[in-house]
């Protein structure tokens, strides 16, 4: 069956910064960095499309961002505003095409069924999603939409053209259509995995696709290699049953470290440790949870879904 498009993935470009530009018209068209606190030692948790042209990106230290882009406007993160926009965005997309899964605050996977799987119709739906978001949520929230035979390919397609992209990849084009990509362009391949692949002589997606399923299993050290083999060819990979392990790290803060800056630094380090263990075990994470317990016994926690990933930067 040539009509194999099953997933339409909506990825918001520079989401937190775009919301700030939507709420504050004076920020529109300007380089914006969203920060957790006003300090040169902290990092940008988001950068606007304009700031990215100067080389500022998620994870750039604030001091470095000011050096790269002297005119950058720094704004304090307002998560309640981003969550409100997120709910409005999901509701808007859902009026056009069913949202199958919210993958993170700025990504959602939509299900294509029946005649919607025909390429022309799928492209029409994608354009309608963009128009609906512009009308109902705001013109500053631009999206890159990827359409493909599985969520992984749709996600890869959404990353191929930013900002404001629309890329459709059909199953019959796979895996050749991906050959010019580097391995880091694939969802779920982080710096450590890139190094491991390079040790096996795999530097491009073409190299990766030249290996057999068994060879990839050996490279990954487990079923992750077979999953990657199938995903690259547009196959639907069912959830792996009985594989619901979690990797966690925790730390008790010393009295002198019970402040937001030090707590954030500890969370950062714990996240990196957990990500390293995840890659070592050959697993992928589809959910990230964070919990803080206070001296009075109260607690704060939050979690989010991810496209299966091993990438430290994504977790951070």
């Amino acid at each position: 069956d040539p009509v194999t498009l099953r997933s339409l993935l909506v990825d918001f470009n520079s989401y937190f910064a775009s919301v700030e530009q939507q709420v504050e018209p004076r920020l529109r068209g300007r380089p914006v960095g969203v920060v957790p606190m006003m300090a040169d030692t902290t990092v940008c948790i988001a950068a606007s499309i304009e700031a990215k042209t100067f080389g500022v990106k998620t994870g750039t230290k604030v001091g470095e961002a000011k050096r790269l882009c002297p005119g950058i406007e720094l704004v304090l993160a307002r998560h309640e505003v981003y969550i409100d926009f997120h709910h409005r965005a999901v509701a808007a997309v859902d009026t056009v095409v069913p949202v199958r899964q919210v993958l993170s605050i700025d990504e959602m996977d939509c299900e294509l069924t029946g005649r919607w799987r025909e390429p022309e119709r799928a492209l029409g739906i994608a354009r309608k999603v963009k128009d609906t978001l512009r009308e109902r949520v705001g013109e500053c929230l631009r999206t890159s939409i990827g359409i493909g035979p599985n969520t992984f390919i749709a996600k890869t397609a959404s990353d191929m053209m930013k900002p404001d992209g629309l890329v459709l990849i059909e199953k019959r084009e796979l895996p050749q259509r991906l050959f010019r990509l580097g391995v880091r362009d694939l969802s779920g391949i982080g710096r450590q995995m890139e190094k491991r692949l390079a040790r096996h002589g795999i530097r491009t997606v073409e190299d990766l696709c030249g290996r057999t399923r068994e060879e990839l299993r050996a490279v990954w050290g487990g079923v992750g290699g077979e999953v990657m083999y199938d995903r690259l060819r547009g196959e639907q990979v069912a959830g792996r049953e009985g594989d619901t392990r979690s990797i966690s790290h925790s730390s008790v803060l010393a009295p002198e470290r019970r402040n937001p800056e030090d707590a954030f630094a500890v969370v950062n380090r714990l996240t990196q440790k957990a990500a390293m263990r995840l890659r070592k075990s050959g697993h992928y994470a589809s959910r990230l949870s964070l919990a803080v317990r206070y001296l009075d016994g109260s607690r704060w926690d939050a979690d989010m879904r991810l496209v299966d990933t091993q990438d430290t930067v994504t977790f951070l």
Side-chain angles (χ1 to χ4, degrees):
D1 176 11
V3 184
T4 51
L5 301 170
R6 294 191 187 92
S7 173
L8 182 150
L9 193 130
V10 183
D11 180 4
F12 286 85
N13 306 138
S14 305
Y15 178 68
F16 294 168
S18 298
V19 171
E20 292 293 347
Q21 289 174 321
Q22 186 62 42
V23 174
E24 299 281 349
R26 67 178 189 83
L27 297 175
R28 293 179 191 179
R30 305 193 59 166
V32 174
V34 179
V35 295
M37 64 193 85
M38 288 296 177
D40 278 9
T41 51
T42 188
V43 298
C44 293
I45 58 172
S48 70
I49 290 161
E50 297 81 7
K52 283 177 178 170
T53 63
F54 289 89
V56 179
K57 45 186 194 271
T58 305
T60 301
K61 275 246 171 86
V62 169
E64 174 72 355
K66 287 178 177 172
R67 192 186 64 73
L68 290 168
C69 179
I72 194 166
E73 288 259 6
L74 298 174
V75 296
L76 268 176
R78 298 184 286 176
H79 289 285
E80 65 287 349
V81 178
Y82 311 147
I83 290 166
D84 174 54
F85 267 81
H86 164 76
H87 289 309
R88 285 166 54 194
V90 172
V93 172
D94 213 37
T95 63
V96 182
V97 58
V99 174
R100 173 171 39 201
Q101 201 182 13
V102 172
L103 300 167
S104 65
I105 196 164
D106 60 353
E107 275 182 323
M108 59 193 92
D109 179 32
C110 305
E111 185 167 17
L112 297 174
T113 56
R115 297 190 67 186
W116 286 1
R117 292 181 171 177
E118 294 165 17
E120 279 313 308
R121 284 175 192 255
L123 287 168
I125 288 167
R127 292 187 193 103
K128 194 170 176 199
V129 164
K130 284 176 179 277
D131 292 344
T132 304
L133 285 167
R134 203 171 296 120
E135 287 159 21
R136 294 184 49 167
V137 188
E139 75 228 34
C140 294
L141 277 86
R142 284 182 278 178
T143 59
S144 289
I145 295 181
I147 301 169
N150 62 24
T151 305
F152 176 84
I153 295 296
K155 163 80 179 134
T156 303
S158 75
D159 287 334
M160 286 164 92
M161 194 192 291
K162 286 187 172 181
D164 205 21
L166 173 51
V167 176
L168 180 146
I169 299 176
E170 290 186 67
K171 193 170 178 184
R172 61 184 170 80
E173 302 175 90
L174 293 169
Q176 291 77 8
R177 177 88 184 267
L178 310 176
F179 280 1
R180 62 184 180 79
L181 301 178
V183 290
R184 278 298 287 281
D185 295 324
L186 298 176
S187 170
I189 295 188
R191 201 168 288 131
Q192 296 306 117
M193 194 65 199
E194 181 183 33
K195 284 182 192 158
R196 188 193 299 190
L197 292 171
R199 287 199 296 272
H200 288 86
I202 298 169
R203 287 184 172 77
T204 65
V205 175
E206 186 167 5
D207 295 336
L208 193 59
C209 294
R211 302 302 174 91
T212 65
R213 183 193 292 267
E214 290 66 36
E215 286 174 317
L216 290 191
R217 186 183 175 103
V219 171
W220 256 259
V223 73
E226 294 181 29
V227 170
M228 181 58 79
Y229 182 93
D230 289 338
R231 282 183 171 155
L232 288 166
R233 287 157 179 80
E235 301 295 337
Q236 275 195 300
V237 181
R240 310 206 292 286
E241 291 305 307
D243 201 6
T244 52
R245 269 188 269 175
S246 66
I247 288 176
S248 59
H249 280 281
S250 63
S251 176
V252 178
L253 296 177
E256 70 278 4
R257 301 203 71 176
R258 288 173 191 161
N259 60 72
E261 292 82 359
D262 283 340
F264 189 76
V266 169
V267 169
N268 201 304
R269 196 186 76 241
L270 296 179
T271 304
Q272 294 187 46
K273 275 170 69 175
M276 269 168 65
R277 269 182 61 200
L278 180 76
R279 286 189 292 270
K280 258 202 178 100
S281 69
H283 287 85
Y284 286 79
S286 57
R287 185 180 287 275
L288 175 72
S289 306
L290 178 62
V292 180
R293 202 160 62 231
Y294 297 94
L295 291 174
D296 64 5
S298 63
R299 66 183 270 140
W300 173 90
D301 52 26
D303 73 331
M304 73 191 296
R305 292 198 63 84
L306 306 158
V307 177
D308 294 0
T309 185
Q310 298 178 317
D311 182 36
T312 301
V313 176
T314 301
F315 298 134
L316 290 175

